[in-house]
Amino acid sequence: MIEYWNPLVERMPVDELDKMQERKLKSLVDYVYQHSEFYKKKFDAAGVKPGDIQSMDDLKKLPFTYKSDLRDTYPTGMFCVPNEQLVRFHVSSGTTGKPTVVGYTRNDINEWATSLARALTSIGVGRGDVIQISYGYGLFTGGLGLHYGAEEVGCTVLPTSSGNTEKQLDLMQDLKSSVMACTPSYFLFMNEVANKAGISIENDTQLRVGIFGAEPWSEEMRSRIEEATGIKAYDVYGTSELSGPLCTECQYQDGIHIWADQFLIEVIDPETGEQLTEGERGELVITTLAKEALPLIRYRIGDITVINKQPCKCGRTHPRIMRVLGRADDMLIVRGINVFPGQVESVLMTIPEVGEHFMIVVDRVNELDIMKIQIEMTDEAFSDKVNDIISLEKKVAAALKNVLNLAVKVELVEKGTIPRSMGKAKKVMDNRKL
């Protein structure tokens, strides 16, 4: 049975959604022009006034917003409300520069919870579920974001945050967690720890749903997780600048529903900035339609995806983004060929003899780029016979070349060799930049 949190909105006819977006876009442009000195200057520099935006066709007249804008106006130079109207700050890690600060009004928090309430309901999560949230709490948006949405739909929340894996497994069994929310790489690590302790997630816990995000993962990885643990694994999407986790797939696992009354999405050519049509792969751009404290106009997310506006079997009419291939800035260019870590993962997960953990290492030798992939073998495939190892390396290398159109060196290693992560997994080491 398909359930909805707000059926009138989630199943709204597309033409009505389009009219709503147009009204909200015009109102938003006027709002930021009046309340954000940053956007007023940006629009004036682009020669755009609020009155110039009369239809969705005018969206492309508006300038893009970049993450660097948030850093350049640190801490609150882009906000549209004074600090006394805020109820919360979240702050990014700032590992590549100044951190980004996002403020929230009470209404912003409510909209965030509503977005996740719709999403959780669409995957059958609600009253009676115990959701174990193993995303980080604190300044990071992952933990608290899902926390409020889960409480909104009536879940019992177990806010474990990340780390302390043995304790997490104890609590999962003792408190009968039915839903797990974390990065896919951490869940794989958790399953490894469980297996070593003689615990079967499928047979010894009540876990039935996983909500995984904060890093790219492939359909093939989904299949591995579901087969190994017996759960249903769902993709969740959001960024810290937008509000952390916001939207998920529905029960049909065919793209993430982006709520059109809250967000206006585009896909553009990352090089030219030109809008692409439905079905074309490009960089995701999002305009927030319901945020008060820090609304964003044509914000370039950096994620590479495809928009799907076709009807979904669940009955929801809002557009979907298909699985994110990776970030534009995560893309490797090796000997003139574009390579995403997600492409490598999708190939490896189809080969039964290799495990879920790998590391891409890129070096430059005599002015030539060399790409090596270290891959853990499964316990069953591990052999002390050199010929068996060489044969498997050739098999993996051939499969990768067939998809990447690039010859790569494959190095098979023992299980446990690749470092594990409690959060986002590091899968690339580009020594050309060191």
Side-chain angles (χ1 to χ4, degrees):
M1 178 180 175
I2 298 174
E3 295 185 356
Y4 306 92
W5 181 251
N6 186 337
L8 289 178
V9 173
E10 293 169 52
R11 303 186 67 181
M12 184 179 290
V14 173
D15 60 337
E16 291 184 29
L17 270 179
D18 290 343
K19 290 176 184 176
M20 178 190 288
Q21 283 197 318
E22 193 170 272
R23 290 195 306 270
K24 288 195 169 192
L25 176 63
K26 289 192 284 186
S27 176
L28 171 69
V29 171
D30 186 64
Y31 175 75
V32 300
Y33 195 80
Q34 296 296 325
H35 294 91
S36 169
E37 187 64 27
F38 167 82
Y39 273 118
K40 185 178 187 303
K41 289 180 179 178
K42 199 172 186 69
F43 288 2
D44 287 347
V48 180
K49 300 293 184 185
D52 297 332
I53 309 303
Q54 294 298 317
S55 71
M56 297 297 285
D57 292 335
D58 295 324
L59 178 64
K60 56 182 175 288
K61 295 178 181 178
L62 296 169
F64 293 115
T65 306
Y66 300 87
K67 189 161 190 171
S68 58
D69 292 326
L70 289 161
R71 293 194 174 117
D72 292 343
T73 57
Y74 175 89
T76 60
M78 286 176 61
F79 285 20
C80 287
V81 300
N83 282 4
E84 55 264 29
Q85 292 184 27
L86 302 175
V87 297
R88 190 190 303 171
F89 287 115
H90 278 290
V91 184
S92 76
S93 59
T95 54
T96 56
K98 281 186 178 180
T100 56
V101 178
V102 180
Y104 299 83
T105 65
R106 171 60 58 195
N107 190 62
D108 290 338
I109 296 293
N110 292 339
E111 289 283 348
W112 190 0
T114 295
S115 177
L116 280 163
R118 295 178 192 173
L120 293 171
T121 301
S122 77
I123 58 175
V125 172
R127 192 168 302 279
D129 279 307
V130 176
I131 180 169
Q132 185 166 332
I133 300 179
S134 296
Y135 288 113
Y137 276 73
L139 293 176
F140 177 61
T141 55
L144 280 170
L146 270 165
H147 188 120
Y148 277 66
E151 288 186 340
E152 183 77 4
V153 296
C155 293
T156 302
V157 177
L158 177 58
T160 48
S161 194
S162 57
N164 203 355
T165 306
E166 291 81 2
K167 182 69 171 178
Q168 295 228 25
L169 288 166
D170 288 342
L171 292 172
M172 183 188 294
Q173 295 176 93
D174 296 342
L175 298 178
K176 297 180 171 51
S177 301
S178 55
V179 183
M180 168 60 70
C182 61
T183 64
S185 55
Y186 183 56
F187 186 68
L188 287 168
F189 175 65
M190 183 177 285
N191 189 48
E192 279 187 12
V193 175
N195 290 336
K196 289 177 181 176
I199 300 168
S200 165
I201 286 179
E202 182 170 12
N203 299 317
D204 300 329
T205 78
Q206 302 296 311
L207 208 64
R208 63 180 186 85
V209 169
I211 302 171
F212 303 128
E215 63 186 16
W217 57 302
S218 63
E219 284 296 324
E220 291 77 12
M221 177 66 82
R222 188 211 302 268
S223 296
R224 285 246 180 153
I225 289 173
E226 292 185 342
E227 289 169 9
T229 63
I231 69 168
K232 194 89 165 170
Y234 294 98
D235 202 0
V236 62
Y237 186 77
T239 73
S240 59
E241 305 92 313
L242 293 175
S243 286
L246 285 162
C247 306
T248 66
E249 303 168 297
C250 66
Q251 65 189 63
Y252 291 100
Q253 298 174 305
D254 188 24
I256 293 172
H257 290 273
I258 304 295
W259 310 119
D261 59 316
Q262 295 182 323
F263 306 99
L264 174 56
I265 59 174
E266 313 166 67
V267 165
I268 63 167
D269 183 314
E271 299 297 326
T272 67
E274 294 296 315
Q275 288 180 331
L276 300 178
T277 59
E278 178 186 358
E280 290 188 282
R281 189 172 76 184
E283 181 184 348
L284 183 64
V285 175
I286 295 184
T287 297
T288 61
L289 298 175
K291 292 193 73 174
E292 294 177 338
L294 182 60
L296 295 171
I297 305 283
R298 301 195 79 194
Y299 184 68
R300 293 187 63 160
I301 301 292
D303 291 330
I304 303 299
T305 188
V306 170
I307 291 178
N308 183 348
K309 296 183 179 179
Q310 299 307 305
C312 181
K313 287 183 284 187
C314 73
R316 291 174 178 83
T317 53
H318 297 243
R320 288 168 284 158
I321 58 170
M322 309 315 285
R323 186 172 286 278
V324 171
L325 180 62
R327 292 186 58 81
D329 50 9
D330 284 344
M331 183 180 73
L332 294 164
I333 302 177
V334 182
R335 300 202 292 276
I337 295 175
N338 298 341
V339 178
F340 286 95
Q343 290 176 296
V344 173
E345 179 184 279
S346 65
V347 173
L348 298 182
M349 293 306 99
T350 64
I351 302 172
E353 297 93 336
V354 302
E356 293 81 17
H357 301 279
F358 66 91
M359 178 69 72
I360 300 170
V361 182
V362 185
D363 279 297
R364 180 162 289 157
V365 180
N366 298 325
E367 303 305 315
L368 181 67
D369 290 341
I370 304 295
M371 189 165 98
K372 177 177 72 174
I373 305 178
Q374 297 176 322
I375 311 160
E376 290 187 3
M377 290 179 288
T378 62
D379 291 333
E380 294 78 14
F382 185 74
S383 172
D384 56 2
K385 296 179 180 178
V386 175
N387 287 342
D388 291 346
I389 302 296
I390 293 174
S391 177
L392 181 54
E393 286 180 339
K394 288 180 178 178
K395 175 183 175 179
V396 174
L400 287 166
K401 185 176 182 180
N402 186 50
V403 170
L404 304 179
N405 198 28
L406 177 73
V408 301
K409 177 177 172 56
V410 171
E411 179 185 348
L412 295 174
V413 297
E414 288 185 60
K415 188 173 181 179
T417 302
I418 306 296
R420 305 302 195 249
S421 172
M422 302 296 176
K424 298 182 182 182
K426 179 177 173 61
K427 295 182 179 180
V428 177
M429 186 181 298
D430 192 344
N431 295 326
R432 297 173 299 179
K433 299 175 183 177
L434 298 180

